[in-house]
Amino acid sequence: MDIFLQQLVNGLTLGSIYALVALGYTMVYGILGLINFAHGEVVMVGALASLTATRALVDAGVPGIPAVLLGLTFAAVVCMALGFAIERVAYRPLRNAPRLAPLITAIGVSIVLQQLAMLVWGRSYHPVPQLLPSGSHEILGAQINEAQLVIMAVAALTMLGLMRLVNRTRLGRAMRATAENPAIAGLMGVDANRIISLTFVIGSGLAALAGVLVSANYGIAHHHMGFILGLKAFTAAVLGGIGNLGGAMVGGVLLGVIEALGAGYIGDLTGGVIGSNYQDVFAFFVLIGVLVFRPSGLMGEKVAERA
């Protein structure tokens, strides 16, 4: 029972991060019908940019929490500018091209960002200093540390804020109208190009936050970290129903829990033949299962509400 609760806590922490990243996929898909496979690399840039800024601030004498917040702000600005540039340079010229063209471009952008990050930050794995609270608490036999609580709370508040932005604000209405039909939205005074750019900017800001959280959770950051994370977040978006913001959140949390429970019990179930280091395969089993049995995801694609 203790192992189950511990893995459940770990899964909820991991799932919160997957959900944040999945929101970026589902926002872009909802408004353009495009899978932005470069989104995982934007998360990676956010993690490394934040780490660089935070280290510089700590070396300059800035205390831990303020240094983390300022580092996050720097990373968010970098990632938002990067998301804006990706949309303008890589995707906008291909908006009316066959669907395969922007998909291949997305993969190309992903590779370019990995190589650029390797040039800037090198091939090494960069340890992340422990600047978040490090205390822990016992709940029903499971240990939950304060950093995990921070990660889950920040992810939950961010997701609720995004839902409110999309469903209750003028910008959100413009995003939903653009997702429904850009041409008709334009006739109603909505600047579709501006809304699409803002969607990329907001999604990239969330990616920066996810990058900071995931590097804090694992205590390490490197130029290749966005690839697997991006695939898992894409799986989470598909699991919940890509194009559906609520589905991305549910899918992310579910995938995190499935992965953590699978890693905790796979050794016992296979008699030690397969260890917890195979935990990454669960995401791909989930992806295959969803595509075969429920391609629209658990919550389906809500076309009128997607953004």
Side-chain angles (χ1 to χ4, degrees):
M1 187 63 178
D2 290 351
I3 294 177
F4 174 81
L5 291 175
Q6 187 63 60
Q7 292 303 103
L8 184 61
V9 169
N10 295 339
L12 290 174
T13 306
L14 199 56
S16 299
I17 296 171
Y18 289 161
L20 269 183
V21 183
L23 286 174
Y25 281 97
T26 213
M27 287 174 70
V28 170
Y29 182 84
I31 206 162
L32 282 180
L34 164 71
I35 304 297
N36 178 21
F37 280 115
H39 190 64
E41 273 58 48
V42 179
V43 176
M44 172 268 295
V45 170
L48 289 170
S50 171
L51 178 60
T52 300
T54 302
R55 280 178 173 171
L57 290 165
V58 170
D59 291 343
V62 178
I65 298 299
V68 170
L69 294 177
L70 290 171
L72 171 61
T73 303
F74 174 76
V77 172
V78 170
C79 287
M80 286 177 172
L82 182 59
F84 179 80
I86 289 173
E87 192 276 326
R88 290 296 299 269
V89 175
Y91 297 143
R92 186 174 297 188
L94 300 174
R95 197 170 293 169
N96 297 316
R99 294 174 69 87
L100 187 59
L103 181 63
I104 294 173
T105 300
I107 296 172
V109 172
S110 170
I111 295 172
V112 167
L113 290 178
Q114 285 184 36
Q115 298 304 308
L116 288 176
M118 187 175 66
L119 290 174
V120 174
W121 286 286
R123 295 173 177 269
S124 302
Y125 284 59
H126 302 277
V128 177
Q130 177 62 49
L131 298 176
L132 293 176
S134 57
S136 64
H137 306 277
E138 183 175 333
I139 301 176
L140 300 175
Q143 292 291 326
I144 179 168
N145 62 52
E146 293 178 0
Q148 288 178 306
L149 291 173
V150 169
I151 289 171
M152 287 188 278
V154 169
L157 291 174
T158 302
M159 288 185 282
L160 290 175
L162 180 64
M163 291 289 286
R164 184 173 180 81
L165 171 72
V166 171
N167 294 320
R168 300 291 180 84
T169 67
R170 185 175 179 179
L171 173 60
R173 288 195 294 274
M175 293 169 74
R176 298 201 306 274
T178 303
E180 184 77 20
N181 191 315
I184 294 179
L187 293 175
M188 298 175 67
V190 174
D191 186 340
N193 285 331
R194 176 173 170 270
I195 295 301
I196 291 171
S197 291
L198 282 174
T199 301
F200 272 83
V201 167
I202 294 171
S204 299
L206 294 176
L209 178 59
V212 172
L213 295 180
V214 73
S215 59
N217 187 48
Y218 289 112
I220 203 164
H222 54 93
H223 74 281
H224 199 57
M225 63 183 285
F227 179 70
I228 291 296
L229 178 62
L231 285 179
K232 290 182 178 179
F234 170 67
T235 301
V238 173
L239 173 61
I242 193 163
N244 186 319
L245 291 179
M249 299 177 199
V250 172
V253 173
L254 274 179
L255 183 64
V257 171
I258 291 171
E259 184 175 307
L261 291 178
Y265 288 103
I266 191 171
D268 294 336
L269 293 175
T270 61
V273 176
I274 300 177
S276 60
N277 54 321
Y278 283 86
Q279 67 180 51
D280 290 342
V281 303
F282 291 104
F284 300 105
F285 283 141
V286 169
L287 178 60
I288 293 170
V290 172
L291 292 177
V292 170
F293 297 107
R294 193 174 173 83
S296 61
L298 297 177
M299 298 180 67
E301 182 181 352
K302 296 181 179 178
V303 177
E305 296 181 11
R306 66 188 185 182

